[in-house]
Amino acid sequence: MGKRQRDCVGCGAPVGFIGREYCWRCLRGFREAAAKAPCPVCGLDRVLAEATGRCVRCSRRCTECGGPVRARNAIVCRPCLRRAEREAVKSGCPRCGRLGFLRAETGWCGTCSRPAPQKGPPRVCVICGELRRHAALGMCSLCWQKNPDRAEVRGEHLIAELADPPLWVPDFVAFLAGRHCPSRAATMIGILARLLADEHPNDPQAVLDRARRPGRSIGSLARGLQDFFTERRLAPPTDHPERLAAGRRQRRIDATPQALRPAVQAFAASLLQNRQRARAAATRPRTDHTIEEALRTMRDLAVFLTSHRNKADWALVDQQDIEAFIAAAPGTGKSRLTFARQFFRFARNRRIVLIDPTRTLSVPTPRGFTGTTLTLDQQRDLFHRWTSDPTVHPHEALLGVLALLHGAASIEVRTIRLDDIDTHRRTVRLGHRPQPVPLDPTTWSVLERCLAHRQSQRTQNPHLVVTRGTKAGNQPASTAYFSHLLDPAGVPPRTVRCTRLAALVNTTDPKLVAAAFGMNTQGVTFYVADRVDNTRLPTEPATFRQQRA
């Protein structure tokens, strides 16, 4: 330092430079203070690291949990280090197989070493009177599970727990109690209590949305809420069927080879757009089943082209490829050609292909009925099985007798409701038939047996045929259930119905059969035999000389 010029303004130390007001110590402190900033973690004025934006001390983080590390050379915090030391001491329990601290006296972990709590002494159940373990209210476990007051008591507790319970809760508790067993109803009410106690609104639509489960099934509680709200017009039904249909369409698209997939995906979008336009125009839109069958056909065609014809572009498809694809499954050739025409018409409009390979193709199909029918001996055996064998399921007997004697289709039997049955006149409405169908004594006895079976299920489903899956709802039995219902008899329902229709059409007037069954006249004429029965032909007219003689 040179000669003292003046005193420092900050600390009073000598300043040896002309024109300066602060000494070198104060100037260094100013430079260090300018480089510091408040740390966002600890709040102290420190030099922040550029990589983390924190001070050096707060920048040291544990590699396991991300917590702060105090020591400079450590990479793991103290709690993680202690936790690792404890885990290293643990061993596998030879009884439960879980890691734990083994006790020296037993050789097991602490949970397995502790003695189990002693059960209470058995008591005499106040309902059944047997000496069993006590469950609740003086009843054994079996009687407690069957107690009809469980759902009502659980509903009262739910209303008492809520500060502002919705008005529909008591009716819904009664709705569940009438459709489910007491234990199942009490469980569903407990799940509903957790939904109503959260911070979300408790209006019907919001509760229904929160009760839905992700996946192919929305859950029993959501299904019950949906039936209850739609019946009382408190909320619209969910879009669960549309979601399932969208998943089925997407699975068919994903199974298409990668090179041919974009065109099939655009074709699916076009089908959905055309359906929306048909709904807006009040015409007949395509169903989900029709769209799925079209996508399935295009998936099979794409797989066939890549695996058998070695073609990975729709523009390379020619007429021989389509003919080979149809010939691979001649039973479904007509439907395959129909869906292929729709796709290539769409592809030609979108400039995916230049020429439609299906324009001049046709699949010759025989006119008339080509299915199989049952002989008289087979019909007698089936009739004896469905009317005399008590081991046959009532649903099988009902479908078999209605198809064999009255030509009923599976969808007609599926949709029979209790209000369609007239017990005084012994008639039943089947599908879209214009008049109720009178039942003979044999069919009526089979129907009464099915009614007794339905009464034993204690269900409120309005349909006649009720299964385990539809017992708690309002929907009819599934199509898959009816398609396999006559498997024990070894005959499909379609064959039994076609046998009855073929017999009626060839012995009576087809127009009368069409009017009685509510069918199209052209559809009924397919069952007419391709030859005329010789016994029904008129005799050859006699000549004039023979008449005089």
Side-chain angles (χ1 to χ4, degrees):
M1 180 182 294
K3 185 178 180 181
R4 177 175 181 176
Q5 301 294 331
R6 63 180 57 86
D7 295 335
C8 177
V9 177
C11 62
V15 179
F17 294 91
I18 301 174
R20 289 188 180 181
E21 297 182 355
Y22 295 94
C23 63
W24 64 275
R25 292 187 180 87
C26 293
L27 291 176
R28 187 178 62 179
F30 292 155
R31 288 193 296 268
E32 293 177 356
K36 296 180 180 180
C39 179
V41 178
C42 61
L44 300 177
D45 290 339
R46 300 289 179 86
V47 178
L48 304 183
E50 296 181 0
T52 60
R54 299 186 293 265
C55 62
V56 177
R57 183 178 180 183
C58 296
S59 298
R60 293 192 294 268
R61 291 292 173 177
C62 177
T63 58
E64 298 292 335
C65 64
V69 178
R70 302 304 179 187
R72 295 182 178 181
N73 299 329
I75 58 175
V76 181
C77 63
R78 186 172 298 178
C80 292
L81 183 61
R82 293 178 178 177
R83 189 181 304 111
E85 294 175 354
R86 289 196 302 269
E87 293 294 333
V89 180
K90 291 182 180 180
S91 302
C93 179
R95 184 177 182 182
C96 63
R98 294 178 296 181
L99 293 177
F101 300 102
L102 303 185
R103 302 296 189 268
E105 58 274 8
T106 60
W108 297 339
C109 62
T111 304
C112 298
S113 300
R114 287 190 291 269
Q118 297 182 358
K119 296 182 179 180
R123 306 179 187 177
V124 177
C125 179
V126 297
I127 302 297
C128 62
E130 296 186 6
L131 185 63
R132 293 177 178 175
R133 296 289 181 183
H134 175 263
L137 300 179
M139 293 180 288
C140 61
S141 178
L142 296 178
C143 296
W144 169 246
Q145 296 294 332
K146 299 178 182 179
N147 185 17
D149 298 334
R150 286 191 60 188
E152 183 179 356
V153 173
R154 188 65 184 89
E156 294 177 355
H157 292 171
L158 170 61
I159 296 175
E161 293 171 0
L162 299 176
D164 187 14
L167 300 178
W168 48 266
V169 172
D171 295 337
F172 181 68
V173 171
F175 179 83
L176 291 180
R179 291 183 173 231
H180 299 272
C181 63
S183 60
R184 183 62 178 169
T187 303
M188 296 172 66
I189 295 173
I191 300 175
L192 178 63
R194 291 193 294 270
L195 294 177
L196 297 179
D198 56 13
E199 66 277 3
H200 299 285
N202 291 336
D203 57 281
Q205 187 63 43
V207 174
L208 179 58
D209 294 338
R210 297 200 306 275
R212 294 180 57 176
R213 291 181 179 178
R216 300 191 64 181
S217 176
I218 61 176
S220 302
L221 177 60
R223 194 179 301 112
L225 287 171
Q226 177 180 248
D227 296 340
F228 176 78
F229 290 150
T230 53
E231 181 180 347
R232 288 160 176 77
R233 298 182 179 181
L234 298 176
T238 60
D239 58 343
H240 190 66
E242 288 78 7
R243 291 189 178 184
L244 294 180
R248 292 191 296 267
R249 292 193 299 267
Q250 190 61 39
R251 287 193 294 271
R252 285 161 174 78
I253 294 174
D254 295 339
T256 307
Q258 182 67 31
L260 305 177
R261 187 180 305 172
V264 178
Q265 190 170 5
F267 177 60
S270 176
L271 292 178
L272 296 177
Q273 184 179 3
N274 293 339
R275 183 171 68 174
Q276 293 296 334
R277 295 176 58 185
R279 288 176 178 175
T283 57
R284 299 179 62 181
R286 291 185 177 93
T287 60
D288 291 329
H289 177 72
T290 303
I291 297 177
E292 292 163 11
E293 287 298 316
L295 296 179
R296 182 182 64 84
T297 302
M298 301 319 302
R299 176 203 62 190
D300 296 341
L301 177 58
V303 173
F304 176 80
L305 292 175
T306 55
S307 59
H308 295 82
R309 312 295 288 188
N310 196 18
K311 293 184 179 181
D313 191 356
W314 291 110
L316 302 178
V317 181
D318 54 9
Q319 184 175 347
Q320 289 76 16
D321 298 331
I322 304 300
E323 291 177 350
F325 175 66
I326 294 176
T332 60
K334 187 175 181 180
S335 62
R336 282 188 167 190
L337 180 59
T338 301
F339 293 130
R341 282 176 176 172
Q342 296 177 7
F343 172 76
F344 283 104
R345 191 182 305 117
F346 160 80
R348 190 172 182 274
N349 293 334
R350 296 292 182 89
R351 301 296 188 271
I352 300 176
V353 298
L354 297 178
I355 300 175
D356 185 359
T358 63
R359 183 174 56 182
T360 59
L361 285 180
S362 62
V363 178
T365 55
R367 297 182 60 84
F369 175 68
T370 58
T372 59
T373 56
L374 302 174
T375 62
L376 290 178
D377 294 337
Q378 292 176 338
Q379 297 180 41
R380 292 190 185 99
D381 295 340
L382 292 175
F383 181 80
H384 183 268
R385 168 184 172 85
W386 292 330
T387 57
S388 303
D389 192 354
T391 61
V392 176
H393 197 276
H395 295 169
E396 177 192 345
L398 178 68
L399 177 60
V401 171
L402 288 178
L404 183 63
L405 301 183
H406 304 277
S410 297
I411 188 173
E412 294 178 339
V413 183
R414 284 179 57 236
T415 55
I416 295 178
R417 303 170 67 94
L418 295 181
D419 51 5
D420 296 332
I421 303 174
D422 190 349
T423 56
H424 298 285
R425 299 181 180 180
R426 291 192 174 185
T427 60
V428 62
R429 288 190 173 274
L430 294 178
H432 298 286
R433 300 191 184 187
Q435 299 295 332
V437 179
L439 302 181
D440 54 281
T442 303
T443 308
W444 184 256
S445 62
V446 174
L447 181 64
E448 288 182 338
R449 181 186 173 193
C450 190
L451 287 173
H453 175 71
R454 182 188 178 279
Q455 186 68 22
S456 63
Q457 292 179 306
R458 294 180 296 180
T459 177
Q460 294 183 359
N461 193 312
H463 294 87
L464 174 61
V465 178
V466 180
T467 62
R468 290 181 56 187
T470 62
K471 183 173 64 174
N474 296 328
Q475 301 297 327
S478 63
T479 306
Y481 177 77
F482 269 83
S483 62
H484 297 284
L485 197 55
L486 300 186
D487 288 351
V491 58
R494 183 182 180 87
T495 302
V496 182
R497 180 174 183 265
C498 292
T499 301
R500 184 56 176 167
L501 287 178
L504 290 175
V505 171
N506 288 276
T507 56
T508 60
D509 190 353
K511 292 186 178 181
L512 297 179
V513 176
F517 281 74
M519 299 174 59
N520 190 0
T521 307
Q522 297 179 356
V524 174
T525 55
F526 288 156
Y527 293 93
V528 178
D530 55 354
R531 62 180 179 85
V532 180
D533 192 356
N534 297 329
T535 60
R536 302 192 64 212
L537 289 176
T539 58
E540 185 179 357
T543 61
F544 178 74
R545 292 181 179 180
Q546 292 176 351
Q547 291 179 358
R548 290 189 63 181

